[in-house]
Amino acid sequence: MATLCRFRHLIGNTPILQIENKIFAKFETYNPSGSVKDRMVGYIVEKAIKNKKISNNTVFLEATSGNTGISLAMIGARLGKKVKIIMPHNMSEERKLMMKLFGAEIIEVGFNDFIGAINLRDELLSKDENYWSPLQFSNPLNIECHRNTTGPEISSAIYQYLRIEKKSNVFGAFVHGSGTGGTMMGVKRYFDSARHSHPKFVLAAPAESASEHGIQGINDGEDFLLDTSQMDQIIKIKTNDAIDRASRLARENGLLVGISAG
């Protein structure tokens, strides 16, 4: 079976870009499939390979709104694995096309029915031992990945900038949306354990309900790994404002990003 050893170096170590005077963004589109999910999927797959949980007959399976499915399809193609993705039928056609280009099979469930997608995934896992899933919504390795990779990268880049610019050694806030909650909780755990100043953790959440907003990949109906009690602040973002900001990032900064980044 192929390994990720000649591929893993492409994941992570993404640049941090200055958007405005005091606003920086981690440019995760530099990951090979174009999103932060490459980190988590690659990390969990590597652990599974080392622990002999993936065999020659393994079929990758996951419930997703899109980006995790794209990452799993990409890595599955690298490893020569069949990949099956379960997702609500109203997710973007662009995401479905990317998964199909990597050779994945897509199983669609009802409108915004993420819980139904997860339940179907779990049912299939229980019926066939050849299925393997990263279990992104409940796997603590999702948090561990970002605690060990994303958090240290952010810290190193921001504090290096502050030193070079001779700014006060203050990192004000980390602002992020939550799909599974893995990135937010992992970065928070890193800074909780760090010795330097601790930023506030601000959750950006859709202003509309999970069934009404149009920001795919965020607020899929449950908090999953996210512990909202550990957030310093929660800010509500209207879908139209997120769309407008993503458009402005393209026009004003030359950055093509998704609505969740907006």
Side-chain angles (χ1 to χ4, degrees), residues 7 72 147 203 241:
F7 187 75
L72 191 63
R147 189 251 179 262
L203 175 68
D241 290 338

Side-chain angles (χ1 to χ4, degrees), residues 3-210:
T3 68
L4 296 179
C5 61
R6 295 182 181 177
F7 187 75
R8 188 68 177 86
H9 69 285
L10 298 176
I11 299 174
N13 295 308
T14 54
I16 282 189
L17 307 178
Q18 187 165 7
I19 304 298
E20 296 179 9
N21 181 33
K22 295 182 179 180
I23 299 177
F24 295 80
K26 191 102 166 105
F27 201 45
E28 289 296 293
T29 194
Y30 263 47
N31 286 304
S33 85
S35 85
V36 68
K37 297 300 186 181
D38 288 352
R39 294 175 179 268
M40 177 267 294
V41 174
Y43 191 90
I44 293 175
V45 168
E46 274 196 325
K47 292 278 189 182
I49 291 173
K50 290 178 181 177
N51 293 328
K52 299 186 180 345
K53 294 181 179 179
I54 293 175
S55 70
N56 291 331
N57 298 322
T58 295
V59 176
F60 288 169
L61 177 71
E62 184 57 291
T64 177
S65 63
N67 283 336
T68 295
I70 295 169
S71 295
L72 191 63
M74 175 195 70
I75 289 174
R78 167 70 184 122
L79 297 175
K81 298 298 178 190
K82 291 182 179 180
V83 179
K84 293 187 179 184
I85 301 298
I86 307 170
M87 62 193 305
H89 69 80
N90 59 303
M91 297 297 100
S92 72
E93 293 303 317
E94 292 83 1
R95 293 182 181 191
K96 295 175 187 177
L97 177 59
M98 287 185 69
M99 293 177 216
K100 290 176 182 177
L101 287 171
F102 284 125
E105 175 189 341
I106 298 175
I107 303 170
E108 297 187 7
V109 296
F111 184 91
N112 276 353
D113 190 8
F114 294 100
I115 302 305
I118 294 170
N119 289 339
L120 179 56
R121 177 204 64 189
D122 293 345
E123 179 184 343
L124 292 174
L125 285 171
S126 69
K127 290 181 177 179
D128 192 334
E129 63 181 13
N130 286 327
Y131 282 131
W132 174 88
S133 176
L135 301 171
Q136 62 164 334
F137 297 101
S138 59
N139 194 336
L141 291 177
N142 186 343
I143 295 175
E144 180 182 299
C145 165
H146 296 289
R147 189 251 179 262
N148 292 337
T149 65
T150 316
E153 288 177 30
I154 292 171
S155 175
S156 176
I158 292 297
Y159 286 108
Q160 181 180 23
Y161 165 81
L162 292 172
R163 287 192 297 270
I164 291 174
E165 296 297 319
K166 297 181 179 179
K167 305 280 187 180
S168 60
N169 192 31
V170 175
F171 175 8
F174 175 71
V175 183
H176 199 274
S178 175
T180 65
T183 304
M184 178 64 91
M185 297 308 299
V187 173
K188 186 176 192 307
R189 287 189 183 178
Y190 170 77
F191 278 96
D192 284 347
S193 66
R195 295 181 179 179
H196 43 61
S197 60
H198 192 293
K200 290 184 177 180
F201 279 78
V202 179
L203 175 68
E208 303 89 355
S209 69

